[in-house]
Amino acid sequence: MIKPVYLDYAATTPMDPRVRQRMLEVMGHQSGFGNPASVTHVFGRTAAAAIEQAAAEVAALVNANPDYVVWTSGATESDNLGVIGGARYRQAQGRHVVTAATEHKAVLGACAELQRHGYEVTYLQPTEMGLIEPAAVSAALRADTVLVSIMHANNETGVVQDIAAIGALCRAAGILFHVDAVQSAGKLPLDMQAQYVDLLTLNAHKACGPKGVGALVLNAATVKRVEPILFGGGQQRGMRPGTLPVHQIVGMGETARLLQLEMAEEVQRILTLRDNLWSGINDLPGILLNGHPEQRIASILTVSVAGVEGESLRFAVDDLAVTSGSACNSATGEPSYVLRALGRPDVLAEASLRFSLGRFTQPDDIQQAITSFRRAVTHLRALSPEEL
Ligand code: PLP
């Protein structure tokens, strides 16, 4: 049997051995198991110091103050805390939120929860290439708008939004700007100051770090806190109570450090591989690129294939670990709501494949993907020839 090629880095990534090593060191450390809130003894203080270092590493990646890194269980929680916690923190000013129809479900679900509690939410539609125009954001702002949430890079198409332009609009209007940067961290420069971001969502497992840990980073200059969505002890200034998982957080810190160190080189390498993949398949008739041809991150290539049926396509490339749309859509079997929002009809949204590359993707993997994809499309077209 052919070894399956992993091209689903946008869903999750293999852990970098250097990250694993750091985590093991913490777990094996004689006093590193302490509760970081127990600062009266050395066990707690050792753990607290490890967390402090991780906060500095994450903050350095996004130009933030380490004291304002709020650790969470992952990006879903960070999105919930950013959107719900941010909106509730500002509720005296109003109850209107602006987001996009192409956001991750973690943001859309949080917005739906706000709506159930009397908030109004405007869902902006993207252009056909997946862009959210800053002018459209501007037009949606109202006197009672308290928060705008727009992701940096889309998880299905890789399309990159102009967050600095949107952030500037929000800052001028005194509105909180939340950005989900899960897919762009380590792929694009992130600077919460220069890009006017107030609340930033990150996680570790999309960037060769551990699953189950993330952060909501607050811009200390503009927002001192958000309302909690979990209640318990007073950890993390009450914004996110719960004993901190030291090994996970250390893993996320090391993940951020490596991203910062290696981003430029890694992105260039991945971009070359992705472009090779695209040029290896785009001469086939009926292959459509989803999203913006230039304004997208290096690691994602999403295509729709005209004239073939979605399920047969996925079945025919069974030596490739790829998804149709996002992993979440794969689970429900629904055609991607993101591709539909870009105006793709259901059949094309169904017959789509997302290839996502990462740190351990090799040229051989891309060659196998090209061969497998070409074989699949040619075979399926021969079965049901149709004018394209
Ligand atoms: N936001 C984006 C853009 C994502 O791609 C994902 C991953 O599915 C999430 C949020 C949720 O991340 P997590 O798995 O850490 O909860």
Side-chain angles (χ1 to χ4, degrees), residues 36 73 124 184 266 316 374 381:
S73 62
L124 299 172
S184 63
E266 180 165 303
R374 294 190 75 90
R381 289 256 172 75

Side-chain angles (χ1 to χ4, degrees), residues 10 74-76 79 104 106 151 153 155 180 182-183 203 205-206 328:
T76 299
D79 281 343
H104 191 271
M151 73 202 323
N155 50 303
D180 178 332
V182 162
Q183 296 289 346
N203 71 5
H205 79 93
K206 309 276 183 175
C328 320

Side-chain angles (χ1 to χ4, degrees), residues 129-172:
M129 287 188 182
L131 294 177
I132 302 297
E133 307 275 17
V137 176
S138 177
L141 301 182
R142 313 191 316 208
D144 62 343
T145 309
V146 287
L147 181 128
V148 171
S149 180
I150 300 289
M151 73 202 323
H152 195 193
N154 186 271
N155 50 303
E156 292 196 31
T157 59
V159 171
V160 176
Q161 306 301 343
D162 187 351
I163 56 165
I166 297 169
L169 288 169
C170 294
R171 186 64 56 83

